[in-house]
Amino acid sequence: MSVGKKKQQDVDALQDELLRRRLGGGGRGSRGRRPAIGPADRSGPLRLSFGQQQMWFLNRLEPESAEYLVPLTFRLRGALDTGALERAWSALVERHEILRTRYELDGGEPAQVVDPPRPVTLPVEEAAHVPHDERDDYAAGLIARALSTPFDLEQDWPVRARLLRLAQDEHLLSLVFHHIAFDAWSTRVVASELGALYDAFASGGLPALPPLPLQYADYAAWQRQEEAGGALTEHLEYWRTRLDGVTPVDLPTDRPRPAYRSHQGADVAFALPDGLSGKIHDLAARHNATPFAVLLPAFQALVARYTGSTDVPVGIVASGRTRPELQGLIGYGINNLVMRGTWRDGTAFAELVDQARNTLIEAYEHQSVPFARLVDELQPERDMSRTPLYQVAFTLHERGSESFELAGLNVEPYEATGRVAKCDLELQVNSAPDGSLHGQFVYAEPLFERATVERMAGHFLRLLERAVEDETAPVSRIDILDETERALVTSGAVTPSVVSETVHELFEGQVVRDPGA
């Protein structure tokens, strides 16, 4: 199957595919044999899910922080019916309780308080007074301010919406969610349902969305019941064994690590060379895997070059929507998993791909342990300057999963300004509908200079390209240097042994010779 015909699987689709391969459609992980999640008992306080509780705690710890605000912004071109859009937005908030939920203390424990539905307005901000060539900057400033304004989770609903009119036939729809009520999967739910609701109201009809089988509070109550019933015991034991002895990834940095981790981030985008995306798909197919299982070990091998360690834990995200009744829910359902890659000197890249495939299968089988619960169980050494259990992360996104269609309008995502660094370094790879891959490194600005991360991107591309070209090559001996770096080695400025194991001294040497690099 060609790359153009084989649509890239994102993390969520990968999860389903790997489970089917391992379990053959039945067995312990089979969804069809489990009873449906029932309604929560609403006669008492509604407890938070594990993910919600973690977000609530972080908000209480730093109430002014904007780290966990999630923007969703679209540019709308065409004749927009603002009244229909406002009715659609109001209907969406009425449909999903989580969007009108506040969080109050009850007996010292946080509880969900679901407010009754009420009409929701969609404020419209006019930009007609702004000169045409300055409107994009004006819009970016408004969105940046919205992203820097925190939520009071006890008083506020966890979402803000605003419509910015740039011209009669051009608008920006800005939605800002708190992570306690929203995740990446929720994006597709909002896009799909808001589009359907708008189309119905704009045409003078009534929406025909099927009723939701449950609300997020029902899921949160079920998750707590699962823990109380001992359903997590086996999965916790897996993670105890799998992560025994794991140590922090200590990347060489340009600046000293601050005492407290900052969420301030930036990104460096890069494109894969022509033909490389197809080769990645082909290699994955030969190993009965997906491109995720090719890109993850390549990233781990890159980190190994910088740290000198061949034991590299990397954080990834699972959707958490493992049951059919959760597919249409908005809310915090994701879970962080730790993929630990280990190997010995001389291990071929092909072996790392097989290891990654098998590790992913196992991890998804045991993904029901919430990350916050896992941290409590493993109790890693407290360090406010790092994220617990992993310091580097990898995500694979399918572009188009957030596609948004409104009748009579051209709709496209609008990239919000600013970046949040959720750990020291994250590799994000986006897959286009034709299967082509595009990447970016999101990095913690207090730790790294942009030039350093640009060199990382070059190293990653060379490592990936050469590993895919010859999957039998020992991964530790793949040449990742460009001509300038190789010249430094040849001149004796850096020893070859350093380059074969770790490149941070090479970076340091370049910075000394070129302080502006």
Side-chain angles (χ1 to χ4, degrees):
M1 182 180 293
S2 68
V3 173
K5 293 181 180 179
K6 182 178 180 180
K7 192 174 183 180
Q8 168 65 46
Q9 302 288 333
D10 66 0
V11 174
D12 311 308
L14 171 71
Q15 170 184 327
D16 292 339
E17 182 174 335
L18 291 175
L19 283 173
R20 282 196 299 271
R21 290 176 182 172
R22 178 66 174 263
L23 303 173
R28 181 176 54 197
S30 179
R31 299 174 183 177
R33 299 183 183 181
R34 294 180 291 177
I37 298 173
D41 177 7
R42 308 229 171 183
S43 62
L46 291 169
R47 295 189 67 188
L48 280 59
S49 71
F50 287 102
Q52 281 180 309
Q53 186 151 337
Q54 182 183 26
M55 289 297 108
W56 176 86
F57 173 78
L58 292 169
N59 179 261
R60 297 274 288 198
L61 190 65
E62 296 184 86
E64 299 303 312
S65 173
E67 181 173 1
Y68 297 101
L69 302 192
V70 184
L72 191 59
T73 308
F74 298 97
R75 189 187 294 271
L76 317 176
R77 290 190 173 95
L80 175 66
D81 185 336
T82 55
L85 184 58
E86 182 175 74
R87 290 179 67 192
W89 175 244
S90 186
L92 186 76
V93 175
E94 178 178 349
R95 176 174 168 82
H96 292 272
E97 289 181 350
I98 191 69
L99 299 182
R100 43 189 171 86
T101 295
R102 295 177 295 106
Y103 302 85
E104 296 182 351
L105 283 174
D106 186 286
E109 289 292 326
Q112 301 186 65
V113 178
V114 181
D115 288 334
R118 63 172 183 260
V120 178
T121 60
L122 182 62
V124 179
E125 177 110 14
E126 297 287 350
H129 63 285
V130 180
H132 189 273
D133 60 350
E134 297 177 13
R135 288 179 187 173
D136 275 352
D137 289 341
Y138 178 77
L142 286 178
I143 293 171
R145 283 195 292 276
L147 279 173
S148 63
T149 304
F151 287 93
D152 180 344
L153 295 180
E154 187 173 6
Q155 302 293 329
D156 302 334
W157 288 357
V159 61
R160 290 190 293 263
R162 172 179 291 189
L163 188 66
L164 176 62
R165 183 178 287 125
L166 300 176
Q168 280 301 113
D169 60 351
E170 184 175 5
H171 297 76
L172 286 180
L173 175 61
S174 170
L175 308 175
V176 180
F177 300 84
H178 194 283
H179 207 0
I180 199 170
F182 198 78
D183 62 9
W185 182 279
S186 303
T187 300
R188 67 189 71 191
V189 180
V190 168
S192 172
E193 293 191 355
L194 192 59
L197 290 165
Y198 174 84
D199 291 353
F201 290 129
S203 64
L206 293 175
L209 292 174
L212 290 172
L214 74 162
Q215 292 286 343
Y216 187 88
D218 303 320
Y219 160 72
W222 168 82
Q223 189 185 61
R224 295 292 182 169
Q225 291 165 3
E226 287 283 286
E227 182 202 27
L232 301 184
T233 303
E234 174 192 350
H235 304 300
L236 276 169
E237 185 56 37
Y238 167 80
W239 290 110
R240 283 194 204 98
T241 302
R242 181 67 190 162
L243 300 180
D244 181 47
V246 71
T247 57
V249 168
D250 196 15
L251 285 169
T253 61
D254 295 305
R255 289 180 286 273
R257 184 179 295 275
Y260 292 90
R261 188 176 69 85
S262 168
H263 67 271
Q264 182 182 355
D267 64 86
V268 169
F270 58 89
L272 273 67
D274 290 343
L276 182 54
S277 296
K279 292 176 182 178
I280 291 170
H281 282 274
D282 292 342
L283 175 59
R286 288 197 301 273
H287 288 263
N288 196 31
T290 66
F292 196 101
V294 176
L295 295 164
L296 172 61
F299 180 49
Q300 289 172 317
L302 178 75
V303 173
R305 289 297 184 92
Y306 300 145
T307 62
S309 172
T310 53
D311 184 349
V312 181
V314 173
I316 68 168
V317 176
S319 75
R321 267 67 167 192
T322 58
R323 304 169 64 103
E325 62 266 42
L326 302 178
Q327 304 296 304
L329 275 190
I330 293 173
Y332 190 103
I334 60 171
N335 194 21
N336 295 323
L337 307 177
V338 183
M339 298 295 99
R340 188 177 185 180
T342 59
W343 62 94
R344 63 192 182 283
D345 186 44
T347 298
F349 185 68
E351 294 179 59
L352 295 188
V353 173
D354 290 336
Q355 180 193 99
R357 180 198 62 217
N358 294 333
T359 302
L360 285 164
I361 290 171
E362 292 178 356
Y364 285 129
E365 285 181 342
H366 297 283
Q367 67 165 292
S368 57
V369 179
F371 184 72
R373 177 74 176 81
L374 183 62
V375 173
D376 289 342
E377 182 70 23
L378 298 181
Q379 295 186 338
E381 182 179 351
R382 285 189 172 273
D383 185 347
M384 298 301 292
S385 70
R386 305 173 189 263
T387 50
L389 297 183
Y390 67 87
Q391 292 74 47
V392 295
F394 170 63
T395 57
L396 180 61
H397 300 293
E398 184 182 340
R399 302 305 299 176
S401 63
E402 74 285 8
S403 61
F404 185 22
E405 296 182 4
L406 298 178
L409 295 166
N410 177 272
V411 183
E412 59 186 30
Y414 177 91
E415 187 69 31
T417 57
R419 275 288 184 186
V420 171
K422 296 182 179 179
C423 56
D424 292 357
L425 182 70
E426 179 179 7
L427 171 62
Q428 298 181 353
V429 177
N430 298 317
S431 172
D434 64 357
S436 60
L437 303 171
H438 310 269
Q440 60 187 358
F441 279 109
V442 179
Y443 61 95
E445 277 194 304
L447 299 180
F448 300 105
E449 298 285 352
R450 182 177 182 84
T452 296
V453 182
E454 288 173 344
R455 286 192 288 270
M456 288 182 180
H459 291 155
F460 177 70
L461 286 174
R462 283 185 285 277
L463 189 153
L464 181 61
E465 190 166 26
R466 290 161 187 172
V468 170
E469 285 287 348
D470 182 8
E471 62 183 86
T472 64
V475 69
S476 61
R477 298 170 199 167
I478 295 174
D479 184 6
I480 65 173
L481 303 183
D482 64 17
E483 292 182 3
T484 300
E485 293 165 337
R486 196 173 294 107
L488 283 172
V489 175
T490 303
S491 68
V494 180
T495 63
S497 61
V498 168
V499 177
S500 68
E501 297 175 1
T502 173
V503 297
H504 73 274
E505 292 186 25
L506 178 60
F507 282 173
E508 291 170 357
Q510 287 181 295
V511 171
V512 167
R513 288 166 176 75
D514 182 6

